[in-house]
């Protein structure tokens, strides 16, 4: 158990890397907060939803954590993120005390600290994985980590107040721990599985599938033993279920009752305003139906499935397009507000770069397919493809899920580099260096430009 937490201790040779990453992530988070500094730090007694949502639009990422830490209002689906409210609630208590004492809302600072911490340790865990599990050189490991964070929708989660970078850190930690287990031939214990599954699933329930898959690849058939199933899988899931239901009864039910009461009172006092708002919601719903997901049904799982959106454009422009390179048209707009479902690049060279990256990725898959560690990662991505592309869950904004699978790309490049020798390896390293520099300059410039003009 202690090893699970000792891995957060920075080693001597990692400190300068951590310092460099810290400066980058702090700079982007500060730039985001600076755009609406006065409004977002206002210690208002209410109205936090309007304060934050009016000024925050970043590709469909949510600012619900800011609102929860500010006023204990819950707008995310706790059934999909059963531990997230438990994680945010202590910050709300501290922030509530600070607001009373200073009149300043510290939610942005608190959440940003968590985001920066998560991004920083994603860097550390990926670097360790490349160095220790794949036995890459220090220079190549640094390059591949830099390449990973040059991807548009890996860099964005490192600054937006959403759960994605927290999930990525926990998955990167799982990747490192399980990779080390595979190297030494030791199994993942039921206790380790329980801790990893509890936290990964608690932040995003779909992560639990990946954690269970990692246990299967590490332990083989031993993962199906009764003790492991009960202690390593069922108990943490049961704990998350209980936590979510308690949260629902204690926080969500009273909140919904209060909202219903407020809406009823508003309808009595301002009927014309309510009718106008309802007409605007109906108009926006029509726009969403035309431009957003084409739901297979109105309720249950069918409401999460989209079988009508064309897959090929979604793969080209969103999955392997926007995920890596931002589109200049409709830059960082929300598909639920104004961004069309499919946006094309303005210049042909973007598609050439995308094709190069996909071809290198496929070559890396060929090189890594015979390794159990890589097969595990491939199964993780396979689950995401099944969920997001085949079933169509979130297919209209599939790029915001990039941080859940993108680490397979630098890992595949690592296997490709390991296959190359001599001048071929040097040439491949040069290509990856050019891609990294281009993506950092291109995506970084667009993000900075957007953040400096969004105020």
């Amino acid at each position: 158990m202690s090893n699970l937490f000792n891995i957060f201790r920075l080693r001597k040779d990692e400190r300068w890397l951590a310092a460099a990453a810290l400066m980058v992530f702090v700079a982007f988070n500060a730039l985001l907060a600076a755009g609406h500094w006065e409004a977002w730090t206002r210690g208002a007694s209410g109205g936090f939803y309007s304060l934050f949502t009016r000024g925050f639009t970043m590709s469909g990422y949510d600012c619900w954590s800011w609102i929860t830490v500010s006023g204990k209002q819950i707008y995310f689906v706790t059934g999909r993120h059963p531990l997230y409210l438990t994680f945010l609630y202590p910050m709300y208590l501290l922030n509530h005390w600070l607001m009373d004492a200073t009149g300043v809302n510290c939610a942005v600072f608190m959440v940003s600290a968590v985001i920066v911490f998560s991004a920083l340790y994603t860097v550390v865990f990926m670097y360790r994985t490349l160095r220790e599990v794949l036995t890459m050189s220090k220079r190549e490991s640094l390059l591949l980590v830099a390449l990973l964070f040059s991807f548009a929708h890996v860099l964005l989660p490192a600054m937006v107040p959403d759960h994605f970078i927290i999930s990525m850190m926990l998955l990167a930690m799982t990747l490192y721990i399980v990779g080390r287990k595979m190297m030494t031939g030791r199994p993942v214990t039921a206790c380790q599985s329980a801790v990893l599954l509890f936290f990964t699933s608690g932040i995003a329930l779909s992560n639990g599938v990946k954690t269970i898959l990692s246990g299967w690849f590490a332990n083989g058939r031993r993962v199906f033993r009764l003790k492991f199933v009960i202690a390593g899988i069922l108990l943490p899931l049961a704990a998350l279920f209980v936590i979510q239901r308690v949260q629902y009864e204690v926080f969500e039910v009273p909140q919904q009752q209060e909202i219903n009461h407020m809406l009823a009172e508003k309808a009595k006092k301002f009927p014309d305003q309510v009718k106008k708002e309802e007409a605007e919601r109906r108009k926006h719903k029509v726009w969403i139906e035309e431009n957003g997901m084409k739901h297979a049904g109105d309720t249950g799982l069918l409401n999460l499935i989209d079988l009508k959106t064309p897959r090929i454009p979604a793969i080209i422009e969103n999955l392997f397009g926007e995920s890596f390179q931002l589109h200049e048209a409709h830059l960082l707009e929300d598909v639920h507000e104004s961004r069309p479902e499919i946006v094309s690049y303005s210049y042909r060279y973007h598609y050439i770069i995308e094709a190069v990256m996909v071809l290198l990725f496929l070559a890396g898959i060929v090189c890594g397919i015979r390794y159990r560690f890589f097969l595990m990662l491939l199964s993780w991505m396979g689950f995401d493809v099944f969920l997001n592309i085949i079933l169509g869950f979130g297919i209209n904004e599939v790029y915001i899920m990039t941080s859940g699978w993108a680490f397979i790309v630098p890992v595949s490049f690592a296997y490709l580099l390991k296959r190359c020798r001599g001048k071929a390896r040097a040439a491949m390293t040069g290509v990856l260096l050019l891609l990294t520099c281009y993506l950092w300059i291109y995506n970084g410039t667009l993000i900075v430009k957007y953040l400096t003009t969004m105020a």
Side-chain angles (χ1 to χ4, degrees):
M1 176 73 73
S2 61
N3 290 336
L4 283 173
F5 299 99
N6 283 338
I7 60 174
F8 287 96
R9 183 179 301 167
L10 289 174
R11 300 163 188 171
K12 188 174 182 180
D13 63 324
E14 295 169 345
R15 291 173 188 170
W16 68 270
L17 169 62
L22 182 65
M23 287 190 290
V24 172
F25 298 138
V26 167
F28 276 109
N29 277 263
L31 197 58
L32 173 61
H36 296 271
W37 179 269
E38 183 180 351
W40 289 351
T41 58
R42 190 181 305 158
S45 58
F48 292 109
Y49 182 92
S50 299
L51 276 177
F52 288 120
T53 56
R54 285 176 183 172
F56 180 85
T57 301
M58 294 280 283
S59 287
Y61 293 101
D62 295 320
C63 59
W64 305 148
S65 57
W66 282 348
I67 297 171
T68 301
V69 174
S70 298
K72 202 175 64 176
Q73 298 164 304
I74 306 162
Y75 292 101
F76 56 90
V77 182
T78 58
R80 295 183 203 161
H81 313 283
L83 202 61
Y84 200 36
L85 178 57
T86 304
F87 173 70
L88 294 174
Y89 187 66
M91 286 192 282
Y92 157 74
L93 294 175
L94 176 59
N95 187 45
H96 186 68
W97 176 78
L98 289 171
M99 270 198 290
D100 288 342
T102 66
V104 176
N105 184 3
C106 299
V108 172
F109 311 130
M110 292 180 176
V111 175
S112 290
V114 174
I115 298 302
V116 170
F117 175 89
S118 301
L120 173 62
Y121 274 94
T122 302
V123 167
V124 171
F125 292 139
M126 286 305 301
Y127 176 75
R128 290 179 186 173
T129 299
L130 290 163
R131 287 283 287 148
E132 300 175 30
V133 179
L134 279 75
T135 63
M136 303 299 292
S137 70
K138 181 182 292 188
R139 184 183 63 177
E140 290 168 338
S141 299
L142 291 172
L143 173 60
L144 291 171
V145 170
L147 175 63
L148 174 62
F149 274 88
S150 72
F151 298 162
H153 285 270
V154 173
L155 181 57
L156 283 169
M159 67 188 79
V160 297
D162 213 327
H163 73 277
F164 290 97
I165 195 64
I166 305 173
S167 290
M168 189 178 188
M169 179 199 69
L170 293 169
L171 289 174
M173 181 175 73
T174 302
L175 198 63
Y176 172 64
I177 291 172
V178 175
R180 292 284 296 169
K181 292 283 186 180
M182 288 182 179
M183 282 188 67
T184 58
R186 293 178 297 166
V188 175
T189 66
C191 180
Q192 290 169 333
S193 172
V195 173
L196 291 173
L197 186 59
F198 180 77
F199 286 104
T200 56
S201 298
I203 298 300
L205 202 59
S206 59
N207 289 342
V209 174
K210 299 175 183 179
T211 305
I212 293 171
L213 283 170
S214 67
W216 184 22
F217 275 91
N219 293 13
R221 288 180 294 179
R222 286 175 292 186
V223 80
F224 299 109
R225 291 176 179 173
L226 187 60
K227 177 184 176 182
F228 191 93
V229 171
I230 293 175
I233 298 176
L234 296 182
L235 280 179
L237 293 179
L240 289 173
F241 176 78
V242 171
I243 289 170
Q244 192 276 330
R245 295 316 299 171
V246 170
Q247 290 175 163
Y248 178 77
E249 295 296 335
V250 173
F251 297 110
E252 294 186 76
V253 170
Q255 175 180 289
Q256 191 56 52
Q257 291 172 345
E258 184 179 349
I259 290 173
N260 292 339
H261 176 72
M262 290 174 59
L263 290 176
E265 290 296 315
K266 186 177 181 179
K268 291 179 184 178
K269 296 179 179 179
F270 309 103
D272 293 338
Q273 182 181 346
V274 171
K275 289 180 182 178
K276 181 180 178 181
E277 290 174 355
E278 184 61 33
E280 290 176 353
R281 281 193 292 269
R282 285 196 297 267
K283 182 179 179 181
H284 184 64
K285 184 179 179 181
V286 171
W287 188 92
I288 289 293
E289 290 173 350
E290 293 175 351
N291 295 274
M293 283 183 63
K294 283 71 176 175
H295 300 286
D298 295 327
T299 58
L301 289 175
L302 292 178
N303 191 46
L304 303 175
I305 294 174
D306 177 350
L307 301 176
K308 296 181 180 179
T309 293
R311 266 42 180 181
I312 300 301
I315 290 171
I316 294 173
E317 301 293 352
N318 291 342
L319 181 65
F320 291 122
E322 177 77 5
S323 296
F324 299 144
Q325 306 175 82
L326 294 171
H327 288 80
E328 292 185 69
H330 299 280
L331 178 64
L332 298 179
E333 292 181 12
D334 188 347
V335 74
H336 296 290
E337 297 294 338
S338 58
R339 187 187 194 275
E341 189 174 27
I342 303 297
V343 177
S344 299
Y345 288 108
S346 303
Y347 301 101
R348 188 174 298 176
Y349 77 87
H350 290 292
Y351 295 104
I352 296 173
I353 291 169
E354 180 179 340
V356 169
M357 291 194 63
V358 171
L359 289 173
L360 290 176
F361 177 43
L362 292 175
I365 291 176
V366 172
C367 295
I369 196 73
R370 60 193 179 94
Y371 295 96
R372 191 156 46 106
F373 178 74
F374 187 74
L375 285 174
M376 179 188 74
L377 262 179
L378 208 56
S379 73
W380 287 14
M381 186 179 182
F383 170 70
D384 284 331
V385 169
F386 173 75
L387 188 66
N388 302 133
I389 301 299
I390 296 176
L391 293 182
F393 173 72
I395 191 171
N396 58 330
E397 52 179 359
V398 68
Y399 39 83
I400 73 170
M401 269 72 85
T402 304
S403 56
W405 61 266
F407 26 64
I408 192 176
V409 177
V411 170
S412 72
F413 291 169
Y415 282 110
L416 181 58
L417 282 171
K418 287 166 73 73
R419 182 66 64 91
C420 298
R421 295 289 183 272
K423 292 182 179 180
R425 187 158 183 161
M428 185 56 60
T429 302
V431 170
L432 295 178
L433 179 60
L434 289 174
L435 282 173
T436 302
C437 292
Y438 159 74
L439 289 172
W440 266 107
I441 294 170
Y442 176 76
N443 291 322
T445 300
L446 289 180
I447 292 171
V448 170
K449 179 182 177 182
Y450 180 82
L451 291 177
T452 53
T453 57
M454 67 181 286

